[in-house]
Amino acid sequence: MTSTGEDEKARTAITPSLAVLFDAVLFDRDGTLVVDEPYNSDPELVVPIPGAVNAVATVRRAGVRTGVLSNQSGIARGLLTGSQVEAVNRRVDALFGAFDVWEICPHAPHSDCRCRKPKPGMIFAACRELGISPSRTAFVGDIGSDVDAARAAGAVGVLVPTAVTLAHEVAQSPLVAETLDAALQLLLDICATPTLGQAEVPLRQQGLAIAQSQWQHDPKGALRPARSPR
């Protein structure tokens, strides 16, 4: 566990350097920026993950743009309306400051859309809107489909596990961090190796150590409890 002082030192180091590697850092919404409230239609239930507001502010101080990409299958399921999702997103903007780009997939898990993660459509759309390359983009999320979408887009994906992250998702993710601050530090660390591939093994081992120390695996491979489809 890092102290508040150590976190502040890390943020200070990140601030001048992140823009050298990245034009944008994109985030998953539920479970990454805010507490995952399944199919949330109430802006008053939006609660930031501890440290998330500061982490996003750190990215912005570096001159790097920010965005949010979120699967919202509750719309297709009839559990939410598009207007309700937009109201929740406005609350997120109010708490974090306005993000430069939002991309929402309203489709059901088995639809043949191009936007639902793990497909890369939302990353491509966000990059088009910002006028940047996916190769200079990072995407931070809490489940395997987030990392898979980043990989498919040619972006850098970082997994920040939560209680619903599956064990195999942690094991298969090249970059795994305990917190959003640690995720930002990993984005800087990759420049210390010629290729991301050479960094994968130690970082994956670090992620597994995090998972084993913080969560108890159930027989089905989940790190406590089963998650709702997003």
Side-chain angles (χ1 to χ4, degrees):
M1 210 51 144
T2 58
S3 69
T4 301
E6 289 171 337
D7 285 344
E8 186 56 40
K9 285 181 185 176
R11 283 193 286 270
T12 301
I14 288 167
T15 299
S17 306
L18 197 63
V20 173
L21 298 171
F22 300 101
D23 295 320
V25 177
L26 308 175
F27 299 90
D28 170 56
R29 193 189 80 177
D30 302 322
T32 301
L33 292 177
V34 301
V35 175
D36 188 4
E37 185 72 30
Y39 309 122
N40 183 23
S41 61
D42 184 356
E44 294 304 313
L45 296 181
V46 174
V47 178
I49 297 285
V53 172
N54 284 336
V56 172
T58 297
V59 175
R60 291 169 174 158
R61 283 197 300 271
V64 174
R65 285 174 283 184
T66 59
V68 184
L69 316 179
S70 183
N71 288 346
Q72 291 295 324
S73 68
I75 297 174
R77 298 168 190 271
L79 302 173
L80 296 167
T81 66
S83 295
Q84 288 172 324
V85 171
E86 289 172 4
V88 169
N89 293 345
R90 286 195 296 272
R91 178 60 176 163
V92 175
D93 271 343
L95 293 169
F96 284 82
F99 287 89
D100 296 295
V101 63
W102 279 86
E103 296 292 338
I104 300 297
C105 172
H107 304 112
H110 301 298
S111 67
D112 193 27
C113 73
R114 297 182 180 181
C115 49
R116 182 176 172 82
K117 296 173 292 181
K119 292 184 179 179
M122 286 194 286
I123 295 179
F124 288 146
C127 289
R128 281 195 302 270
E129 184 166 338
L130 296 174
I132 62 176
S133 169
S135 66
R136 287 186 53 83
T137 302
F139 182 42
V140 183
D142 68 317
I143 61 177
S145 63
D146 298 319
V147 176
D148 291 343
R151 184 183 292 114
V156 175
V158 183
L159 184 73
V160 180
T162 66
V164 301
T165 310
L166 301 179
H168 77 270
E169 294 173 334
V170 177
Q172 293 172 4
S173 296
L175 299 174
V176 182
E178 184 177 1
T179 65
L180 285 178
D181 273 337
L184 298 183
Q185 187 59 54
L186 280 183
L187 294 178
L188 291 178
D189 289 347
I190 64 173
C191 70
T193 56
T195 67
L196 181 62
Q198 292 180 1
E200 287 181 5
V201 173
L203 291 171
R204 181 180 296 129
Q205 290 173 345
Q206 176 194 9
L208 287 170
I210 290 169
Q212 290 165 357
S213 67
Q214 289 195 321
W215 295 288
Q216 296 296 318
H217 295 243
D218 69 20
K220 295 181 181 179
L223 306 171
R224 289 202 315 262
R227 64 182 179 231
S228 301
R230 297 176 182 171

